[in-house]
Amino acid sequence: MPLVEVTMVEGRTPEQLRSLIHALHEAVVRAVAAPPENVRVVVREVPPTHWAAGDVTISERLGDAELATRASARPIEPKGEGER
């Protein structure tokens, strides 16, 4: 049973997260011929104030305006059931 775990800074829309989950699921099914019902995807979102590199948090590095801009990016829509 393949398990994909992703940790990323919070701020994506539910549609963006759904698109990510769909793309990861499809990639695992194709890459390792896993039965689709056996693939698990876990997305963990971390506040930008809780993730740092070099003693600088993402929030400090990017600022609130940049984080808001990234969160509003248009997601890629998952394909419909008949298109998978």
Side-chain angles (χ1 to χ4, degrees):
M1 180 180 317
L3 169 64
V4 178
E5 296 180 289
V6 177
T7 303
M8 53 200 261
V9 174
E10 66 185 12
R12 273 71 174 193
T13 66
E15 294 80 14
Q16 289 171 316
L17 295 173
R18 184 65 188 98
S19 180
L20 174 64
I21 290 167
H22 173 74
L24 291 170
H25 176 267
E26 292 296 308
V28 171
V29 169
R30 281 192 311 270
V32 299
E37 65 276 7
N38 289 352
V39 177
R40 306 295 190 256
V41 178
V42 177
V43 178
R44 290 185 185 86
E45 293 186 282
V46 178
T49 56
H50 295 180
W51 188 318
D55 197 33
V56 178
T57 67
I58 291 175
S59 182
E60 293 166 338
R61 183 167 43 98
L62 295 179
D64 293 336
E66 174 66 18
L67 290 171
T69 299
R70 288 178 181 219
S72 66
R74 181 176 163 88
I76 299 171
E77 296 297 324
K79 294 178 182 175
E81 287 297 319
E83 299 176 52
R84 290 187 182 166

